[in-house]
Amino acid sequence: MADYNQALELKPDAGVYYARATARQSKEDLSGALADYSKAIELNPRLAQAYANRGVIETLQGKKAEARQDFERAFLIDPSLRATFKSFIENRLDMKTP
């Protein structure tokens, strides 16, 4: 985590924010991960995986409307992500995926 923090002090970068977010998510720091995914998206709005991962966190936090929007955005950018998240969104969000 310290390495990510130091790298971000030197230069804000979407990839580093994304990497730190996944590390935070794995440590169950959902608020920190959500903030980092959001910053990664702000810096690179085409980062589909960040939208999808943020959607997972929003789902876990009960923010289903926001999660649906993030998953739809992720799938517009990278349709291949549908297969990865298909079971999760069908079971947790009652969204059907083609």
Side-chain angles (χ1 to χ4, degrees):
M1 199 61 68
D3 289 341
Y4 294 131
N5 295 338
Q6 185 176 14
L8 291 169
E9 283 180 26
L10 296 173
K11 180 183 175 209
D13 178 81
V16 177
Y17 273 108
Y18 177 83
R20 187 172 75 173
T22 59
R24 286 180 163 177
Q25 188 173 0
S26 72
K27 294 179 182 218
E28 298 184 18
D29 174 8
L30 299 184
S31 295
L34 189 66
D36 280 352
Y37 286 132
S38 295
K39 188 64 178 179
I41 290 166
E42 178 185 319
L43 294 172
N44 180 359
R46 303 278 311 150
L47 194 55
Q49 189 72 46
Y51 284 102
N53 289 355
R54 188 170 75 174
V56 169
I57 292 171
E58 290 164 337
T59 302
L60 297 173
Q61 293 179 334
K63 301 174 185 173
K64 292 185 175 188
E66 294 91 336
R68 284 184 185 98
Q69 289 176 351
D70 276 342
F71 281 117
E72 287 302 325
R73 180 73 173 146
F75 300 156
L76 283 173
I77 297 167
D78 184 354
S80 71
L81 288 176
R82 283 187 189 277
T84 303
F85 290 94
K86 179 179 174 58
S87 177
F88 180 85
I89 64 173
E90 287 181 354
N91 293 326
R92 297 283 188 119
L93 293 175
D94 298 324
M95 283 176 65
K96 297 299 175 199
T97 58

